[in-house]
mmCIF file of all heavy atoms in Angstrom:
data_model
loop_
_atom_site.group_PDB
_atom_site.id
_atom_site.type_symbol
_atom_site.label_atom_id
_atom_site.label_comp_id
_atom_site.label_asym_id
_atom_site.label_seq_id
_atom_site.Cartn_x
_atom_site.Cartn_y
_atom_site.Cartn_z
ATOM 1 N N GLU A 1 18.990 -15.492 17.618
ATOM 2 C CA GLU A 1 19.022 -15.087 16.212
ATOM 3 C C GLU A 1 17.732 -15.397 15.498
ATOM 4 O O GLU A 1 17.290 -14.663 14.612
ATOM 5 C CB GLU A 1 20.216 -15.759 15.522
ATOM 6 C CG GLU A 1 21.563 -15.338 16.058
ATOM 7 C CD GLU A 1 21.770 -13.833 15.978
ATOM 8 O OE1 GLU A 1 21.581 -13.273 14.880
ATOM 9 O OE2 GLU A 1 22.095 -13.232 17.009
ATOM 10 N N GLU A 2 17.118 -16.521 15.883
ATOM 11 C CA GLU A 2 15.817 -16.843 15.257
ATOM 12 C C GLU A 2 14.767 -15.793 15.613
ATOM 13 O O GLU A 2 13.974 -15.376 14.756
ATOM 14 C CB GLU A 2 15.378 -18.220 15.740
ATOM 15 C CG GLU A 2 14.138 -18.748 15.031
ATOM 16 C CD GLU A 2 13.853 -20.186 15.386
ATOM 17 O OE1 GLU A 2 14.777 -20.912 15.827
ATOM 18 O OE2 GLU A 2 12.688 -20.587 15.222
ATOM 19 N N ALA A 3 14.766 -15.347 16.854
ATOM 20 C CA ALA A 3 13.821 -14.301 17.267
ATOM 21 C C ALA A 3 14.126 -12.986 16.508
ATOM 22 O O ALA A 3 13.225 -12.265 16.077
ATOM 23 C CB ALA A 3 13.908 -14.064 18.762
ATOM 24 N N LYS A 4 15.422 -12.726 16.323
ATOM 25 C CA LYS A 4 15.820 -11.510 15.609
ATOM 26 C C LYS A 4 15.358 -11.566 14.158
ATOM 27 O O LYS A 4 14.834 -10.574 13.614
ATOM 28 C CB LYS A 4 17.344 -11.373 15.689
ATOM 29 C CG LYS A 4 17.872 -10.061 15.164
ATOM 30 C CD LYS A 4 19.394 -10.104 15.099
ATOM 31 C CE LYS A 4 19.991 -10.357 16.456
ATOM 32 N NZ LYS A 4 21.463 -10.332 16.408
ATOM 33 N N VAL A 5 15.527 -12.720 13.510
ATOM 34 C CA VAL A 5 15.089 -12.869 12.119
ATOM 35 C C VAL A 5 13.577 -12.752 12.012
ATOM 36 O O VAL A 5 13.050 -12.139 11.063
ATOM 37 C CB VAL A 5 15.590 -14.213 11.548
ATOM 38 C CG1 VAL A 5 14.944 -14.500 10.206
ATOM 39 C CG2 VAL A 5 17.097 -14.196 11.410
ATOM 40 N N GLU A 6 12.874 -13.310 12.965
ATOM 41 C CA GLU A 6 11.407 -13.212 12.928
ATOM 42 C C GLU A 6 10.946 -11.773 13.114
ATOM 43 O O GLU A 6 9.983 -11.330 12.475
ATOM 44 C CB GLU A 6 10.821 -14.106 14.012
ATOM 45 C CG GLU A 6 10.950 -15.599 13.720
ATOM 46 C CD GLU A 6 10.388 -16.468 14.816
ATOM 47 O OE1 GLU A 6 10.008 -15.892 15.873
ATOM 48 O OE2 GLU A 6 10.313 -17.705 14.642
ATOM 49 N N ILE A 7 11.660 -11.029 13.972
ATOM 50 C CA ILE A 7 11.325 -9.590 14.134
ATOM 51 C C ILE A 7 11.543 -8.854 12.824
ATOM 52 O O ILE A 7 10.708 -8.039 12.387
ATOM 53 C CB ILE A 7 12.160 -8.983 15.261
ATOM 54 C CG1 ILE A 7 11.716 -9.555 16.616
ATOM 55 C CG2 ILE A 7 12.024 -7.459 15.265
ATOM 56 C CD1 ILE A 7 12.580 -9.121 17.765
ATOM 57 N N ALA A 8 12.673 -9.143 12.159
ATOM 58 C CA ALA A 8 12.950 -8.495 10.876
ATOM 59 C C ALA A 8 11.893 -8.871 9.837
ATOM 60 O O ALA A 8 11.447 -8.026 9.039
ATOM 61 C CB ALA A 8 14.343 -8.899 10.387
ATOM 62 N N GLN A 9 11.480 -10.136 9.868
ATOM 63 C CA GLN A 9 10.432 -10.570 8.930
ATOM 64 C C GLN A 9 9.130 -9.836 9.187
ATOM 65 O O GLN A 9 8.443 -9.376 8.244
ATOM 66 C CB GLN A 9 10.232 -12.080 9.067
ATOM 67 C CG GLN A 9 9.128 -12.624 8.161
ATOM 68 C CD GLN A 9 8.709 -14.034 8.549
ATOM 69 O OE1 GLN A 9 8.730 -14.377 9.723
ATOM 70 N NE2 GLN A 9 8.332 -14.841 7.573
ATOM 71 N N LEU A 10 8.745 -9.691 10.437
ATOM 72 C CA LEU A 10 7.508 -8.972 10.776
ATOM 73 C C LEU A 10 7.596 -7.515 10.310
ATOM 74 O O LEU A 10 6.622 -6.941 9.783
ATOM 75 C CB LEU A 10 7.254 -9.036 12.276
ATOM 76 C CG LEU A 10 6.870 -10.411 12.840
ATOM 77 C CD1 LEU A 10 6.771 -10.364 14.355
ATOM 78 C CD2 LEU A 10 5.559 -10.895 12.233
ATOM 79 N N ASN A 11 8.770 -6.902 10.497
ATOM 80 C CA ASN A 11 8.926 -5.508 10.047
ATOM 81 C C ASN A 11 8.784 -5.417 8.522
ATOM 82 O O ASN A 11 8.112 -4.492 8.020
ATOM 83 C CB ASN A 11 10.299 -4.969 10.470
ATOM 84 C CG ASN A 11 10.375 -4.737 11.974
ATOM 85 O OD1 ASN A 11 9.357 -4.530 12.626
ATOM 86 N ND2 ASN A 11 11.576 -4.773 12.516
ATOM 87 N N VAL A 12 9.410 -6.319 7.807
ATOM 88 C CA VAL A 12 9.326 -6.297 6.343
ATOM 89 C C VAL A 12 7.879 -6.513 5.885
ATOM 90 O O VAL A 12 7.373 -5.781 4.992
ATOM 91 C CB VAL A 12 10.258 -7.372 5.728
ATOM 92 C CG1 VAL A 12 10.017 -7.479 4.218
ATOM 93 C CG2 VAL A 12 11.702 -7.013 6.019
ATOM 94 N N ARG A 13 7.218 -7.471 6.479
ATOM 95 C CA ARG A 13 5.825 -7.734 6.096
ATOM 96 C C ARG A 13 4.928 -6.540 6.406
ATOM 97 O O ARG A 13 4.055 -6.181 5.585
ATOM 98 C CB ARG A 13 5.311 -8.972 6.832
ATOM 99 C CG ARG A 13 5.839 -10.284 6.243
ATOM 100 C CD ARG A 13 5.276 -11.475 6.982
ATOM 101 N NE ARG A 13 5.657 -12.725 6.358
ATOM 102 C CZ ARG A 13 5.373 -13.911 6.854
ATOM 103 N NH1 ARG A 13 4.691 -13.992 7.994
ATOM 104 N NH2 ARG A 13 5.775 -14.994 6.207
ATOM 105 N N GLU A 14 5.170 -5.941 7.564
ATOM 106 C CA GLU A 14 4.351 -4.771 7.917
ATOM 107 C C GLU A 14 4.576 -3.623 6.938
ATOM 108 O O GLU A 14 3.633 -2.949 6.520
ATOM 109 C CB GLU A 14 4.692 -4.343 9.341
ATOM 110 C CG GLU A 14 3.862 -3.177 9.848
ATOM 111 C CD GLU A 14 4.196 -2.799 11.282
ATOM 112 O OE1 GLU A 14 5.056 -3.463 11.878
ATOM 113 O OE2 GLU A 14 3.610 -1.808 11.762
ATOM 114 N N ILE A 15 5.821 -3.410 6.557
ATOM 115 C CA ILE A 15 6.136 -2.329 5.622
ATOM 116 C C ILE A 15 5.485 -2.582 4.287
ATOM 117 O O ILE A 15 4.834 -1.684 3.684
ATOM 118 C CB ILE A 15 7.664 -2.186 5.476
ATOM 119 C CG1 ILE A 15 8.262 -1.616 6.769
ATOM 120 C CG2 ILE A 15 8.022 -1.313 4.276
ATOM 121 C CD1 ILE A 15 9.779 -1.660 6.814
ATOM 122 N N PHE A 16 5.584 -3.813 3.760
ATOM 123 C CA PHE A 16 5.008 -4.102 2.464
ATOM 124 C C PHE A 16 3.477 -4.115 2.507
ATOM 125 O O PHE A 16 2.820 -3.673 1.570
ATOM 126 C CB PHE A 16 5.527 -5.434 1.931
ATOM 127 C CG PHE A 16 6.934 -5.342 1.403
ATOM 128 C CD1 PHE A 16 7.832 -6.354 1.650
ATOM 129 C CD2 PHE A 16 7.352 -4.260 0.682
ATOM 130 C CE1 PHE A 16 9.128 -6.284 1.169
ATOM 131 C CE2 PHE A 16 8.652 -4.163 0.184
ATOM 132 C CZ PHE A 16 9.549 -5.176 0.442
ATOM 133 N N ASN A 17 2.930 -4.627 3.598
ATOM 134 C CA ASN A 17 1.468 -4.607 3.720
ATOM 135 C C ASN A 17 0.946 -3.151 3.768
ATOM 136 O O ASN A 17 -0.088 -2.836 3.179
ATOM 137 C CB ASN A 17 1.038 -5.352 4.988
ATOM 138 C CG ASN A 17 1.182 -6.856 4.848
ATOM 139 O OD1 ASN A 17 1.112 -7.395 3.738
ATOM 140 N ND2 ASN A 17 1.357 -7.528 5.951
ATOM 141 N N THR A 18 1.702 -2.288 4.437
ATOM 142 C CA THR A 18 1.323 -0.878 4.476
ATOM 143 C C THR A 18 1.375 -0.264 3.098
ATOM 144 O O THR A 18 0.486 0.490 2.669
ATOM 145 C CB THR A 18 2.209 -0.109 5.443
ATOM 146 O OG1 THR A 18 2.099 -0.696 6.755
ATOM 147 C CG2 THR A 18 1.807 1.342 5.517
ATOM 148 N N ALA A 19 2.445 -0.583 2.348
ATOM 149 C CA ALA A 19 2.576 -0.061 0.990
ATOM 150 C C ALA A 19 1.446 -0.537 0.086
ATOM 151 O O ALA A 19 0.896 0.230 -0.720
ATOM 152 C CB ALA A 19 3.930 -0.448 0.427
ATOM 153 N N VAL A 20 1.091 -1.815 0.222
ATOM 154 C CA VAL A 20 -0.028 -2.358 -0.579
ATOM 155 C C VAL A 20 -1.340 -1.665 -0.200
ATOM 156 O O VAL A 20 -2.161 -1.341 -1.061
ATOM 157 C CB VAL A 20 -0.116 -3.890 -0.399
ATOM 158 C CG1 VAL A 20 -1.414 -4.423 -0.999
ATOM 159 C CG2 VAL A 20 1.089 -4.583 -1.044
ATOM 160 N N SER A 21 -1.536 -1.457 1.097
ATOM 161 C CA SER A 21 -2.736 -0.749 1.543
ATOM 162 C C SER A 21 -2.776 0.673 0.975
ATOM 163 O O SER A 21 -3.861 1.168 0.562
ATOM 164 C CB SER A 21 -2.812 -0.723 3.067
ATOM 165 O OG SER A 21 -2.863 -2.004 3.596
ATOM 166 N N ASP A 22 -1.609 1.339 0.964
ATOM 167 C CA ASP A 22 -1.568 2.702 0.383
ATOM 168 C C ASP A 22 -1.951 2.667 -1.107
ATOM 169 O O ASP A 22 -2.657 3.562 -1.593
ATOM 170 C CB ASP A 22 -0.176 3.284 0.558
ATOM 171 C CG ASP A 22 0.156 3.581 2.016
ATOM 172 O OD1 ASP A 22 -0.792 3.719 2.808
ATOM 173 O OD2 ASP A 22 1.351 3.670 2.355
ATOM 174 N N LEU A 23 -1.447 1.665 -1.822
ATOM 175 C CA LEU A 23 -1.777 1.555 -3.238
ATOM 176 C C LEU A 23 -3.263 1.302 -3.445
ATOM 177 O O LEU A 23 -3.904 1.925 -4.318
ATOM 178 C CB LEU A 23 -0.942 0.439 -3.874
ATOM 179 C CG LEU A 23 -1.150 0.200 -5.367
ATOM 180 C CD1 LEU A 23 -0.842 1.454 -6.178
ATOM 181 C CD2 LEU A 23 -0.305 -0.966 -5.852
ATOM 182 N N ASN A 24 -3.833 0.443 -2.651
ATOM 183 C CA ASN A 24 -5.288 0.188 -2.765
ATOM 184 C C ASN A 24 -6.093 1.436 -2.420
ATOM 185 O O ASN A 24 -7.152 1.691 -3.016
ATOM 186 C CB ASN A 24 -5.691 -0.960 -1.827
ATOM 187 C CG ASN A 24 -5.161 -2.304 -2.309
ATOM 188 O OD1 ASN A 24 -5.040 -2.511 -3.518
ATOM 189 N ND2 ASN A 24 -4.868 -3.203 -1.387
ATOM 190 N N PHE A 25 -5.583 2.223 -1.480
ATOM 191 C CA PHE A 25 -6.254 3.452 -1.132
ATOM 192 C C PHE A 25 -6.286 4.410 -2.335
ATOM 193 O O PHE A 25 -7.332 5.037 -2.644
ATOM 194 C CB PHE A 25 -5.563 4.118 0.060
ATOM 195 C CG PHE A 25 -6.027 5.494 0.363
ATOM 196 C CD1 PHE A 25 -7.216 5.704 1.053
ATOM 197 C CD2 PHE A 25 -5.275 6.604 -0.036
ATOM 198 C CE1 PHE A 25 -7.631 7.000 1.320
ATOM 199 C CE2 PHE A 25 -5.696 7.893 0.230
ATOM 200 C CZ PHE A 25 -6.896 8.102 0.920
ATOM 201 N N LEU A 26 -5.141 4.523 -3.030
ATOM 202 C CA LEU A 26 -5.105 5.411 -4.182
ATOM 203 C C LEU A 26 -5.979 4.932 -5.313
ATOM 204 O O LEU A 26 -6.636 5.729 -6.019
ATOM 205 C CB LEU A 26 -3.657 5.564 -4.683
ATOM 206 C CG LEU A 26 -2.700 6.392 -3.824
ATOM 207 C CD1 LEU A 26 -1.336 6.449 -4.461
ATOM 208 C CD2 LEU A 26 -3.242 7.792 -3.613
ATOM 209 N N VAL A 27 -6.026 3.622 -5.549
ATOM 210 C CA VAL A 27 -6.832 3.067 -6.618
ATOM 211 C C VAL A 27 -8.320 3.406 -6.428
ATOM 212 O O VAL A 27 -9.081 3.574 -7.402
ATOM 213 C CB VAL A 27 -6.616 1.551 -6.733
ATOM 214 C CG1 VAL A 27 -7.627 0.924 -7.680
ATOM 215 C CG2 VAL A 27 -5.197 1.258 -7.205
ATOM 216 N N GLU A 28 -8.737 3.537 -5.191
ATOM 217 C CA GLU A 28 -10.138 3.799 -4.893
ATOM 218 C C GLU A 28 -10.418 5.283 -4.663
ATOM 219 O O GLU A 28 -11.540 5.648 -4.269
ATOM 220 C CB GLU A 28 -10.548 2.991 -3.653
ATOM 221 C CG GLU A 28 -10.454 1.484 -3.846
ATOM 222 C CD GLU A 28 -10.705 0.712 -2.571
ATOM 223 O OE1 GLU A 28 -10.912 1.394 -1.520
ATOM 224 O OE2 GLU A 28 -10.715 -0.519 -2.597
ATOM 225 N N ASP A 29 -9.392 6.155 -4.872
ATOM 226 C CA ASP A 29 -9.593 7.579 -4.633
ATOM 227 C C ASP A 29 -10.587 8.186 -5.641
ATOM 228 O O ASP A 29 -10.530 7.879 -6.850
ATOM 229 C CB ASP A 29 -8.247 8.292 -4.755
ATOM 230 C CG ASP A 29 -8.362 9.765 -4.427
ATOM 231 O OD1 ASP A 29 -8.460 10.096 -3.234
ATOM 232 O OD2 ASP A 29 -8.347 10.567 -5.373
ATOM 233 N N ASP A 30 -11.474 9.023 -5.164
ATOM 234 C CA ASP A 30 -12.535 9.610 -6.013
ATOM 235 C C ASP A 30 -11.954 10.520 -7.112
ATOM 236 O O ASP A 30 -12.446 10.536 -8.235
ATOM 237 C CB ASP A 30 -13.527 10.399 -5.167
ATOM 238 C CG ASP A 30 -14.352 9.502 -4.250
ATOM 239 O OD1 ASP A 30 -14.469 8.290 -4.583
ATOM 240 O OD2 ASP A 30 -14.841 9.963 -3.201
ATOM 241 N N ASP A 31 -10.898 11.289 -6.769
ATOM 242 C CA ASP A 31 -10.293 12.169 -7.757
ATOM 243 C C ASP A 31 -9.718 11.364 -8.900
ATOM 244 O O ASP A 31 -9.798 11.774 -10.079
ATOM 245 C CB ASP A 31 -9.214 13.025 -7.111
ATOM 246 C CG ASP A 31 -9.812 14.080 -6.164
ATOM 247 O OD1 ASP A 31 -10.985 14.464 -6.360
ATOM 248 O OD2 ASP A 31 -9.111 14.500 -5.227
ATOM 249 N N LEU A 32 -9.093 10.219 -8.569
ATOM 250 C CA LEU A 32 -8.530 9.380 -9.617
ATOM 251 C C LEU A 32 -9.641 8.772 -10.475
ATOM 252 O O LEU A 32 -9.537 8.747 -11.699
ATOM 253 C CB LEU A 32 -7.679 8.252 -8.983
ATOM 254 C CG LEU A 32 -7.118 7.206 -9.959
ATOM 255 C CD1 LEU A 32 -6.193 7.854 -10.985
ATOM 256 C CD2 LEU A 32 -6.394 6.095 -9.194
ATOM 257 N N LEU A 33 -10.698 8.292 -9.835
ATOM 258 C CA LEU A 33 -11.787 7.683 -10.606
ATOM 259 C C LEU A 33 -12.462 8.715 -11.519
ATOM 260 O O LEU A 33 -12.808 8.429 -12.677
ATOM 261 C CB LEU A 33 -12.805 7.074 -9.651
ATOM 262 C CG LEU A 33 -12.297 5.916 -8.765
ATOM 263 C CD1 LEU A 33 -13.384 5.472 -7.794
ATOM 264 C CD2 LEU A 33 -11.818 4.759 -9.603
ATOM 265 N N SER A 34 -12.613 9.909 -10.991
ATOM 266 C CA SER A 34 -13.258 10.985 -11.789
ATOM 267 C C SER A 34 -12.392 11.365 -12.985
ATOM 268 O O SER A 34 -12.869 11.526 -14.099
ATOM 269 C CB SER A 34 -13.515 12.196 -10.890
ATOM 270 O OG SER A 34 -14.054 13.256 -11.648
ATOM 271 N N PHE A 35 -11.104 11.507 -12.779
ATOM 272 C CA PHE A 35 -10.194 11.869 -13.877
ATOM 273 C C PHE A 35 -10.114 10.769 -14.912
ATOM 274 O O PHE A 35 -10.042 11.035 -16.127
ATOM 275 C CB PHE A 35 -8.799 12.186 -13.340
ATOM 276 C CG PHE A 35 -7.786 12.485 -14.403
ATOM 277 C CD1 PHE A 35 -7.776 13.711 -15.030
ATOM 278 C CD2 PHE A 35 -6.879 11.502 -14.800
ATOM 279 C CE1 PHE A 35 -6.826 13.971 -16.030
ATOM 280 C CE2 PHE A 35 -5.952 11.766 -15.792
ATOM 281 C CZ PHE A 35 -5.925 13.011 -16.415
ATOM 282 N N ALA A 36 -10.096 9.506 -14.461
ATOM 283 C CA ALA A 36 -9.989 8.416 -15.416
ATOM 284 C C ALA A 36 -11.196 8.335 -16.328
ATOM 285 O O ALA A 36 -11.080 8.031 -17.514
ATOM 286 C CB ALA A 36 -9.817 7.074 -14.655
ATOM 287 N N ARG A 37 -12.390 8.626 -15.742
ATOM 288 C CA ARG A 37 -13.604 8.563 -16.578
ATOM 289 C C ARG A 37 -13.644 9.717 -17.582
ATOM 290 O O ARG A 37 -13.887 9.512 -18.769
ATOM 291 C CB ARG A 37 -14.846 8.632 -15.667
ATOM 292 C CG ARG A 37 -15.109 7.378 -14.858
ATOM 293 C CD ARG A 37 -16.517 7.477 -14.259
ATOM 294 N NE ARG A 37 -16.820 6.393 -13.356
ATOM 295 C CZ ARG A 37 -16.680 6.462 -12.038
ATOM 296 N NH1 ARG A 37 -16.249 7.588 -11.479
ATOM 297 N NH2 ARG A 37 -16.959 5.420 -11.249
ATOM 298 N N ASN A 38 -13.417 10.927 -17.121
ATOM 299 C CA ASN A 38 -13.529 12.127 -17.981
ATOM 300 C C ASN A 38 -12.337 13.023 -17.723
ATOM 301 O O ASN A 38 -12.358 13.936 -16.909
ATOM 302 C CB ASN A 38 -14.813 12.905 -17.655
ATOM 303 C CG ASN A 38 -16.068 12.081 -17.906
ATOM 304 O OD1 ASN A 38 -16.303 11.598 -19.016
ATOM 305 N ND2 ASN A 38 -16.863 11.895 -16.860
ATOM 306 N N PRO A 39 -11.208 12.748 -18.424
ATOM 307 C CA PRO A 39 -10.004 13.553 -18.200
ATOM 308 C C PRO A 39 -10.248 15.025 -18.576
ATOM 309 O O PRO A 39 -10.856 15.312 -19.611
ATOM 310 C CB PRO A 39 -8.971 12.915 -19.137
ATOM 311 C CG PRO A 39 -9.522 11.556 -19.450
ATOM 312 C CD PRO A 39 -11.003 11.667 -19.427
ATOM 313 N N SER A 40 -9.798 15.928 -17.708
ATOM 314 C CA SER A 40 -9.858 17.347 -17.975
ATOM 315 C C SER A 40 -8.733 18.002 -17.198
ATOM 316 O O SER A 40 -8.164 17.400 -16.270
ATOM 317 C CB SER A 40 -11.212 17.936 -17.549
ATOM 318 O OG SER A 40 -11.354 17.874 -16.149
ATOM 319 N N GLU A 41 -8.383 19.217 -17.589
ATOM 320 C CA GLU A 41 -7.282 19.881 -16.914
ATOM 321 C C GLU A 41 -7.596 20.139 -15.462
ATOM 322 O O GLU A 41 -6.736 20.031 -14.595
ATOM 323 C CB GLU A 41 -6.951 21.186 -17.647
ATOM 324 C CG GLU A 41 -5.648 21.821 -17.183
ATOM 325 C CD GLU A 41 -4.457 20.933 -17.428
ATOM 326 O OE1 GLU A 41 -4.504 20.055 -18.349
ATOM 327 O OE2 GLU A 41 -3.470 21.045 -16.694
#
């Protein structure tokens, strides 16, 4: 059961780390930076 819990923990951490990486990717996106500086349609 300890090994099972550790596997579940690794899965959760991997999922959240991936989500955080996706968010950092979007924050650095050029289209987002360009729109934030000079919004246009």
